[in-house]
Amino acid sequence: MVDPTHLAHLPDRAVLAISGLDRHSFLQGLVSNDVTQAIPGRAVWAALLTAQGRWVADFFLFADPDGARLLVDCEAAQAGMLRQRLLRYRLRSDVSIDETGFAVHAAWGAVPPMIDSTIGAPDPRLTEAGWRLLLPRPAEGAADHAAYDAHRLALGLPDGSRDCEEGKTLLLEANFELLNGISWTKGCYMGQELTARTRYRGLVKRKLLPVMGAALPPPGTPLLQAGKEAGHMASSRDGQGLAMVRLAHRSGELTTEAGHSVQVRLPDWLTLPDADAPAE
């Protein structure tokens, strides 16, 4: 029996349109993934970094079926900032960046019936994540954001600024390398040097890990293990969440000063080094 389609409107997302003859080459030198892989029916997940290789924003890239634009599915709260940051690097490139009125949706379960009549693609991070859809307006009868939030937390997928810290988080800390968010072959982009060095030298000391608990604490709450700081909470809902955890403390129970109990839960896709990283 095929699972029914679950469809949720994501009102906290917005869509920017990047047009102009240089749109691919312009974006290719700025983001972590290969922009040329965004074609009708296939989306790309990518991040914009600081020059020092720290997370600024992440987004999904779609190719408009008419071939004239790249569409950027990003956090609505970051859309203005992202547009301004990208425009700083435009120089003489033939590029324009504009807001659109598209409504972002996520679908999971069976293939959504409207997939052939709208701008959409499988979520490039995990097959189980489902599809991303850009519709002219919110779909009637779509579930609220909470349904999708529970779905992505069950899979252990990060959700932008709810789980990553601007100017601090490294892509490998947030599992972008395991979720198809980085191209290692496309060439240089802003922040590429540190990202590559982190990978080849094995410098990651902490990871964004799925966690569970009866009453998970708010984002930013310090997590402890045997009295030592082990990490901090990120987003959560209904007993499932994500936390940035030092790898030396990934095994065993984590607690908070208020007495919350938090357990790390590793999905099949999330592979970690065999040996614990030394504690900092």
Side-chain angles (χ1 to χ4, degrees), residues 48-202:
L48 178 70
L49 308 177
T50 66
Q52 294 74 36
R54 309 287 174 166
W55 181 92
V56 172
D58 62 75
F59 35 80
F60 298 88
L61 299 173
F62 295 81
D64 196 331
D66 67 8
R69 303 184 297 178
L70 288 170
L71 299 173
V72 184
D73 163 7
C74 63
E75 286 186 52
Q78 287 192 317
M81 174 276 291
L82 182 59
R83 179 177 182 273
Q84 290 302 317
R85 287 215 181 206
L86 292 175
L87 286 174
R88 290 179 192 173
Y89 302 99
R90 180 175 55 178
L91 301 177
R92 296 183 180 180
S93 298
D94 179 7
V95 166
S96 62
I97 305 175
D98 303 290
E99 297 181 2
T100 75
F102 283 117
V104 179
H105 296 70
W108 62 101
V111 178
M114 74 284 285
I115 191 68
D116 293 327
S117 60
T118 188
I119 300 172
D123 190 314
R125 296 171 298 177
L126 289 176
T127 300
E128 297 84 353
W131 295 264
R132 307 287 294 194
L133 304 171
L134 310 183
L135 304 177
R137 61 190 62 83
E140 294 184 7
D144 64 20
H145 181 266
Y148 172 72
D149 205 33
H151 173 63
R152 67 101 189 165
L153 284 168
L155 295 174
L157 300 177
D159 187 23
S161 62
R162 297 177 65 197
D163 298 306
C164 299
E165 297 176 273
E166 183 176 347
K168 293 183 179 180
T169 302
L170 302 174
L171 291 193
L172 271 66
E173 292 176 338
N175 302 311
F176 275 68
E177 82 285 14
L178 300 175
L179 294 169
N180 303 310
I182 303 173
S183 171
W184 301 109
T185 60
K186 61 170 257 184
C188 294
Y189 56 90
M190 189 163 60
Q192 180 264 346
E193 183 177 356
L194 178 64
T195 303
R197 187 164 68 244
T198 302
R199 179 196 190 195
Y200 294 119
R201 294 185 180 179

Side-chain angles (χ1 to χ4, degrees), residues 182-277:
I182 303 173
S183 171
W184 301 109
T185 60
K186 61 170 257 184
C188 294
Y189 56 90
M190 189 163 60
Q192 180 264 346
E193 183 177 356
L194 178 64
T195 303
R197 187 164 68 244
T198 302
R199 179 196 190 195
Y200 294 119
R201 294 185 180 179
L203 300 177
V204 176
K205 303 297 182 183
R206 61 178 195 163
K207 277 275 192 178
L208 191 64
L209 301 179
V211 295
M212 58 185 181
L216 293 175
T221 301
L223 300 177
L224 309 173
Q225 190 176 79
K228 296 182 178 180
E229 185 175 346
H232 66 267
M233 275 299 303
S235 65
S236 67
R237 181 181 296 273
D238 299 332
Q240 298 185 106
L242 291 169
M244 189 65 77
V245 179
R246 294 186 180 185
L247 291 178
H249 300 284
R250 71 187 190 227
S251 300
E253 183 183 46
L254 305 175
T255 60
T256 70
E257 290 185 352
H260 296 96
S261 175
V262 178
Q263 293 85 38
V264 171
R265 172 185 63 84
L266 295 182
D268 292 341
W269 63 264
L270 209 172
T271 57
L272 295 176
D274 291 335
D276 287 344

